Amino acid sequence: MTAMDAPGRSALVALVVAAGVVGFLPAAGVVGATSPAITVTVDGSPVDDGNETVVNDDPPIGVSVDADRSIDVVSVRVDGTTERRYTPNGSTLDETFHLGLASGEHNISVVVKTEEVTTHEVTVIKDAQRPYVAYTAPFETDTYEPPPERVTVNRSRVTLAGNFSDLTGVTHLLINRSTEYDTGAGTRTDRAVYEARTPNESFSQSVFLGVGDNTVTARYYDELNHVRVHRVTITVQDTAPPTLSNLSVVRTAPETLRVRGSATDNGQIRSVSLTPANVDDTTYLLNPGVGEPNPARQRTTFASNVTLHPGVNSVVLRATDTAGNTVERTVSVRRTVVPELRLDRGGTRYVNGSTVVARGVATDGEIVSATLETVDADTGEVVDIVSLHDGDIVTDLDFERHLDAPESRHTTVRLRVIDSSGTEHVTTLDRTLTVETPTATPTVTPRPSTTSSPPPESTATPVPTATPDGSNASGLTVPVIGVTIPVPSVLGTSVSLPVPVVGPFDVPILPVAALLAVGLGVVGRRR
């Protein structure tokens, strides 16, 4: 062995110390280390960390781990309890197994230990049960209790309602109703189907039943298509008779009745009829039906003209339901002679400046004749008149007529009706023609310019001025003969003459000259 010099020994010591320090460093401090990749599959489909999935049996569970270093341990836990534990001798793991899960929600966690701990958790909901229904109408049950085999109700229209209990929720329901009924010549079966989507946590479905036994089959489907089926017989036992209301029996003519009213029943109505008192003659207002379930026959209205026997003053109305219950009402016949008159306020109007359209009705009375007229509202004079009816008795009269309108543009439309007793009835409606005119725009007229001038000098004595009627011409009246000679204003130049006592006044030149000429002529004749 050769002795090592001092520098060589120093280098060796430094190398040994460095190797020892590196040996004591933890692996987590190695630059570039990453967490392992964990994959969990349920029935072959991967489920991300924190997500959930739904199953209806015990599907295979797959666990796959891929790390960049050695895996120490892999622990698979269900609801906090370890179900599987693996210690792979390497950096990967790939295992598949089955878990026996009860129905409900379960937490599956996969815990992986390499140099650090990584966890992957998923939720598995196992729904292996069919939905449960707690009924609230027309009967009541507990959540896990089946419905009764037979139920009796007293009406045809019922509501089937309840609350669901299911892990994934009920997505839709299907209800079938079947009823056998007698046609008189045998029996038939009537069926109806009711369906509802996304009922969520509860449902309420209206079902119409026939009188007697009805077989109701209800199917409830959850998200995994599990179906709960319930069958129940619901019997409609109708013991209450129908109800007659809003009855009106009016004699519209000597041998004609107008019958109106409505009938309702908690089951359904078979027929509605009318029979004159003490007369064996029935008229059906609602023809008899069979026992087939029909929602329209729970309530019916009737309005019909019926021939009346002479001398009859009352009639009997009967309503019978499909269970055989009957109600009767005896109604006195009422004769209405006076009609009701109406002019349509919106339909009666001016068509143009010379025409009016009139619309209206006369009803519920014995109408012998009717006329329609327009009247000048200012003078009261009739402008136009038309005949609406004249002859046989009628009970209903509607009309639409065009009539002349007054020039005043303000008219009164008048309906005159004479009933069978000879009494005249009148109704009126005033109408005014409205004409829209454009709004005038004011025009500014320029004012002539004026120049100021000094005021005229006032004279002490006022000057009388003769003003002829209706003319601008001047005139001169000749004394004695009383003749006035007109003088145009052009020739009306005047001069001022002084007159004692009176004072000066203007005298037109030309009339003075004419007066002198006349005076000279008179003097010449006298000579």
Side-chain angles (χ1 to χ4, degrees), residues 26 57 135-136 145 173 175 196 254 292 301-302 396 398 414 441 445 453 456 462 466:
D57 52 13
Y135 289 95
T136 58
E145 180 185 355
L173 60 89
I175 300 174
E292 177 183 7
T301 59
F302 47 87
D396 295 289
D398 61 275
R414 184 177 294 158
T441 302
T445 304
S453 59

Side-chain angles (χ1 to χ4, degrees), residues 39-47 59-64 95-97 120 122:
T39 301
V40 176
T41 62
V42 178
D43 199 14
S45 299
V47 182
I61 307 295
V63 176
S64 175
E95 293 289 338
T96 300
F97 52 89
H120 187 105
V122 300

Side-chain angles (χ1 to χ4, degrees), residues 392-413:
D392 297 334
I393 296 176
V394 296
T395 59
D396 295 289
L397 185 68
D398 61 275
F399 55 87
E400 178 179 342
R401 295 289 191 278
H402 287 73
L403 296 92
D404 294 339
E407 296 181 357
S408 65
R409 297 187 174 184
H410 182 197
T411 185
T412 298
V413 179

Side-chain angles (χ1 to χ4, degrees), residues 343 348-350 356-358 371-385 403-416 426-433:
L343 284 169
T348 301
R349 56 184 175 80
Y350 270 88
V356 173
V357 60
T371 58
L372 189 66
E373 62 190 29
T374 51
V375 180
D376 190 323
D378 296 334
T379 64
E381 295 182 359
V382 176
V383 178
D384 196 4
I385 183 171
L403 296 92
D404 294 339
E407 296 181 357
S408 65
R409 297 187 174 184
H410 182 197
T411 185
T412 298
V413 179
R414 184 177 294 158
L415 173 63
R416 296 176 178 271
V426 181
T427 186
T428 61
L429 187 63
D430 289 340
R431 284 294 176 261
T432 301
L433 174 64

Side-chain angles (χ1 to χ4, degrees), residues 226-241:
H226 296 134
V227 56
R228 175 77 63 181
V229 181
H230 286 159
R231 290 183 178 85
V232 58
T233 299
I234 303 179
T235 302
V236 177
Q237 196 172 78
D238 184 7
T239 59

Side-chain angles (χ1 to χ4, degrees), residues 19 31 33 39 41 85 89 148 195 199 267 285 321 386 451 479 492-493 511 525:
V31 177
T39 301
T41 62
R85 187 174 181 275
N89 186 18
E195 188 172 8
L285 305 175
D321 62 21
V386 294
T451 57
T493 305
R525 287 182 181 180

